[in-house]
Amino acid sequence: MKRLMWGLALVLAIVAPSPATAAAFTGPVLSPAEVVEIDRSRDGSVVTVEGEAVGEHLRAVGGGRWVNLLGDDVGLGVWVTDEMAEQITYFGDYRHDGDIVRVTGPVNVACAVHGGEFDVHADRFEIVAVGAVREHEIEPMKGVVGVTGIVVGFLLWRLYGRRRDRRMI
Amino acid sequence: MWLRFRRDDFMLVAHFVGLFMVGIGLAMAVPLLIGIAYREPAAALDYLLGMGVALTTGALLVNAETRPERVTHTHALAITAFGWVGAAAVAAVPLAASGNYGSYLDAAFDAISGLTVSGLTVVADLDHLAHSHNMWRHLMQFIGGQGIVVAALSLAVGLRGGAFSLYLAEGRDERILPNVLHTARFIWFVTAVYVTVGTISFFAVTVHLGMSPDRGLLHSFWLAAAAFDTGGFAPQRMNLMYYHSVAMELVALFLMMAGSLNFALHAHVWRGAASELRRNLETKVLAAAITAMSALVLVGLWAHEVFTEPFGTFRRGVFQVISGHSAGHQTVYGTQLLEDFGGAALIAIIIGMAIGGSLSSTGGGIKALRVGVIAKSVVLQVKRALAPASASLHTRYHHIGRRILTPEVTGAAATVFILYLVTYVAGAVIGAAYGHSMAEALFESVSATANSGLSIGITSPSMPTGLKLTYMFQMWAGRLEFIAVLVLIAQVVLVFDVKGVRTT
């Protein structure tokens, strides 16, 4: 009997779904754009998605945070725990390239927990690359042309006023 | 008799187009200041450049005519049609210089889309766009929602001659107050009230979500302006999906619905005559259309079995219907509209976009009052067919007072209705010719012409140039309700073909 119980326990450990599902997942790493276009038959299945964290992390209803990942110019909402969100150093914006984040978890085309959102619930979370400060090249010539244009425009406006007063046309 | 423009007529048109360009140039001071305040020197220089180009070009054109008082109705139509093109041409300059657009054409696409409050966008890497550029994109919707003519009128900038003709030429059908300048100022007053209320409401939500106050405030103003002006731009690629917030969507819904109501109706409610809201044919048609299309979307979604949870289904479905009628903010991806909504829901959203909002609102599309007038006319024709030959039947409708449905009113409504339908279909055929399915092509074509801004995924930076030009034309023609554009085309044709034409 004892041997039978051990045998059952072993079988269950192999076949039963467990929280380790995401940890054991070794599927391809998808971009947010690929996840959004995923075959709908895979709704609810575990995926790994990698993208740049942008904006900021936002409070989620019912606990946890939302992190939006960007890839191939498509954004994807990922639900993460508070601890996961705190690991992100940079979020992408005008001044920063955001951290590249890799998340593994179930994808939901219409999440029943989050009011029909298209989302991924992160079971596993890792920072693949830390972001950086973005540099923007300043082109002084734009300013020179602009200021010249403003001055010329002002003079032309004054010219119009004078011509109008004198009814030159 | 055709009235062919002569040189001095074109000079007169150029003068006013120049005025609009100067106005756009001066408005660029706002993003310039934002660029300075947020220490974005590279982006701020784009606005210095834009101001220089706009003010020089504009002031040069202003000098074309020094006696701008003699504006006729035909002039007004040409001024408006050219004016929107001229304004968009200079508004695109700082965007083109930003590096976030593949070409000047792409920047012009967003400028047309912004000013016509369409909301389709081909910007690249939106999530890394400078605050100043986002301010400009949304400010264009703020200006365009009311109309650039209304903006100029409200500031009383040199448009006194032919002011009412110019006001009508911009696709507005009603003088809300006896004086057209007061009307223009009232439109801005209503807008300011709603955008302020919207900004405060959005700001409260963004703070709750955990956004920093300064970023939250900017996002709030941008979204409030885009929602009330039925624009649809947003500062993040995910549009309203970025916030994952029902509260954000509710505020947007309130503003979009308010923005799609007639400013004359706002005036009546403002004066205490709230009963006009439920008696007006326009609001009745709008309410009926939203209810019917929402029901169709919900049935379609449930039948498609992707959205199974009731709240999520209602939230996603109804929002897209109201958004289709007005601003075009998205809470689902374009691919979802095609894959997860199903045919019935997709058709319902297309019909919603095609109908659009109210006359003299910030919304586009055929307009609810025209649909109501045509429906009443159909009923009248049926009644006449059934009545004795000696019977004289008339019908009335309520729109800011009781009115008799005359053949002229029906004819005008039917003309615009047909022009919209032809443009919807023509754009769809062009989209299909570029290899898109008819459903996708029709969706995007209706969205562009009705200035809705929902996208099923066709509109992108990599879209073919021909399709970009098609949608730009549709957004422009749809915003001006075709007549001004047709007058412009006729004048251009007349310049080259003078046979059998009597000149002024």
Side-chain angles (χ1 to χ4, degrees):
Chain A
M1 187 65 184
K2 198 174 178 182
R3 194 174 292 174
L4 181 67
M5 291 295 286
W6 273 109
L8 274 173
L10 186 64
V11 169
L12 279 172
I14 293 168
V15 301
S18 71
T21 304
F25 181 74
T26 55
V29 178
L30 304 175
S31 72
E34 288 169 324
V35 172
V36 168
E37 296 192 353
I38 200 166
D39 192 298
R40 285 349 189 206
S41 64
R42 292 183 63 190
D43 185 12
S45 66
V46 173
V47 296
T48 296
V49 56
E50 187 175 299
E52 179 191 353
V54 291
E56 57 266 288
H57 56 78
L58 301 166
R59 186 193 306 271
V61 175
R65 311 292 292 184
W66 287 107
V67 171
N68 294 305
L69 300 186
L70 183 73
D72 297 336
D73 218 12
V74 172
L76 173 70
V78 176
W79 181 86
V80 300
T81 63
D82 292 354
E83 294 74 27
M84 290 172 178
E86 292 303 327
Q87 293 176 39
I88 299 172
T89 309
Y90 291 110
F91 285 91
D93 59 19
Y94 179 67
R95 298 183 186 288
H96 305 96
D97 287 320
D99 290 1
I100 302 298
V101 174
R102 184 178 296 169
V103 165
T104 300
V107 59
N108 305 292
V109 174
C111 180
V113 180
H114 294 117
E117 301 249 7
F118 192 120
D119 64 17
V120 170
H121 289 198
D123 289 334
R124 203 171 72 188
F125 181 95
E126 63 178 305
I127 306 291
V128 176
V130 176
V133 174
R134 289 164 69 105
E135 298 295 333
H136 297 276
E137 187 188 353
I138 295 173
E139 299 175 63
M141 190 50 71
K142 287 179 181 173
V144 173
V145 174
V147 170
T148 307
I150 291 168
V151 172
V152 171
F154 176 74
L155 293 175
L156 285 169
W157 186 264
R158 289 289 302 269
L159 175 67
Y160 164 70
R162 292 178 67 175
R163 291 175 71 208
R164 184 171 164 76
D165 291 344
R166 294 176 187 177
R167 295 284 189 196
M168 283 176 68
I169 292 178
Chain B
M1 183 182 77
W2 292 87
L3 298 179
R4 185 163 66 93
F5 272 15
R6 296 183 308 202
R7 182 179 170 278
D8 55 343
D9 294 310
F10 280 112
M11 290 298 186
L12 183 70
V13 172
H15 167 84
F16 282 103
V17 174
L19 270 181
F20 296 148
M21 286 178 164
V22 169
I24 291 291
L26 293 176
M28 286 181 199
V30 176
L32 173 65
L33 291 174
I34 289 290
I36 293 168
Y38 281 87
R39 286 172 294 159
E40 299 171 343
L45 285 176
D46 295 336
Y47 288 92
L48 215 50
L49 175 68
M51 286 181 81
V53 172
L55 294 179
T56 304
T57 316
L60 200 63
L61 290 173
V62 164
N63 274 281
E65 172 65 72
T66 58
R67 294 164 296 175
E69 292 85 2
R70 53 181 188 87
V71 176
T72 65
H73 179 61
T74 313
H75 288 136
L77 290 166
I79 287 166
T80 305
F82 267 129
W84 280 74
V85 174
V90 290
V93 172
L95 298 180
S98 70
N100 286 76
Y101 291 85
S103 63
Y104 175 79
L105 179 71
D106 285 8
F109 185 98
D110 264 30
I112 286 268
S113 179
L115 286 170
T116 60
V117 290
S118 300
L120 293 172
T121 181
V122 293
V123 64
D125 204 12
L126 175 58
D127 297 84
H128 292 103
L129 199 64
H131 287 322
S132 44
H133 291 310
N134 261 319
M135 176 59 81
W136 184 233
R137 291 172 75 242
H138 291 85
L139 199 61
M140 283 192 293
Q141 297 208 315
F142 191 57
I143 296 166
Q146 285 61 255
I148 54 176
V149 169
V150 167
L153 280 172
S154 56
L155 297 171
V157 184
L159 298 185
R160 289 177 187 276
F164 189 54
S165 294
L166 282 162
Y167 173 79
L168 292 178
E170 202 170 40
R172 301 208 178 275
D173 293 56
E174 286 147 350
R175 193 199 305 237
I176 300 164
L177 299 171
N179 183 310
V180 72
L181 297 182
H182 293 164
T183 297
R185 284 173 185 160
F186 176 79
I187 287 173
W188 275 99
F189 170 73
V190 170
T191 304
V193 169
Y194 275 103
V195 171
T196 303
V197 170
T199 302
I200 293 167
S201 307
F202 275 131
F203 182 66
V205 182
T206 58
V207 168
H208 172 75
L209 291 175
M211 292 178 76
S212 66
D214 64 330
R215 210 171 124 81
L217 188 60
L218 285 175
H219 277 229
S220 299
F221 171 70
W222 295 335
L223 290 173
F228 180 75
D229 286 308
T230 63
F233 277 166
Q236 304 283 156
R237 174 60 73 199
M238 294 172 72
N239 209 290
L240 282 185
M241 286 185 285
Y242 175 84
Y243 306 94
H244 307 279
S245 166
V246 178
M248 291 291 278
E249 290 162 25
L250 286 174
V251 176
L253 272 180
F254 168 73
L255 291 172
M256 288 191 295
M257 289 170 81
S260 57
L261 292 180
N262 195 318
F263 279 107
L265 201 60
H266 282 293
H268 267 67
V269 174
W270 190 259
R271 291 178 194 127
S275 62
E276 182 67 29
L277 264 174
R278 57 181 169 75
R279 294 163 65 198
N280 196 302
L281 176 64
E282 199 165 31
T283 45
K284 282 181 184 174
V285 172
L286 206 52
I290 288 173
T291 306
M293 294 311 130
S294 296
L296 192 55
V297 164
L298 293 178
V299 169
L301 286 176
W302 275 314
H304 211 61
E305 294 183 339
V306 172
F307 290 84
T308 50
E309 182 259 329
F311 174 67
T313 310
F314 191 81
R315 177 184 172 192
R316 300 289 150 180
V318 174
F319 187 95
Q320 288 311 309
V321 170
I322 295 174
S323 187
H325 272 280
S326 50
H329 282 301
Q330 288 197 227
T331 54
V332 294
Y333 294 100
T335 50
Q336 282 189 282
L337 289 170
L338 199 62
E339 289 204 29
D340 305 331
F341 269 51
L346 198 62
I347 288 168
I349 294 172
I350 291 173
I351 294 172
M353 289 194 297
I355 294 171
S358 303
L359 290 176
S360 295
S361 72
T362 64
I366 294 166
K367 309 283 172 13
L369 186 62
R370 293 196 182 104
V371 173
V373 160
I374 292 168
K376 274 195 165 282
S377 176
V378 170
V379 172
L380 179 64
Q381 294 305 321
V382 173
K383 281 182 179 173
R384 281 180 178 158
L386 296 172
S390 58
S392 174
L393 292 178
H394 298 282
T395 193
R396 292 169 185 273
Y397 64 101
H398 191 98
H399 175 65
I400 323 289
R402 293 282 285 172
R403 301 178 186 210
I404 295 172
L405 187 62
T406 62
E408 289 76 20
V409 170
T410 309
T415 303
V416 177
F417 184 88
I418 290 166
L419 286 169
Y420 268 107
L421 285 191
V422 168
T423 314
Y424 290 154
V425 173
V429 169
I430 294 171
Y434 275 99
H436 298 286
S437 73
M438 202 58 201
E440 291 173 281
L442 182 64
F443 189 98
E444 214 80 352
S445 171
V446 172
S447 179
T449 312
N451 306 125
S452 172
L454 291 181
S455 176
I456 205 160
I458 294 178
T459 302
S460 71
S462 59
M463 185 167 57
T465 300
L467 214 43
K468 284 176 188 166
L469 291 170
T470 301
Y471 293 152
M472 286 166 78
F473 176 81
Q474 287 182 288
M475 291 189 282
W476 172 57
R479 176 64 179 84
L480 298 179
E481 300 195 333
F482 304 105
I483 304 301
V485 175
L486 292 175
V487 165
L488 183 69
I489 292 168
Q491 286 298 343
V492 171
V493 170
L494 288 172
V495 166
F496 296 104
D497 178 17
V498 295
K499 278 186 279 186
V501 169
R502 288 179 62 182
T503 58
T504 53

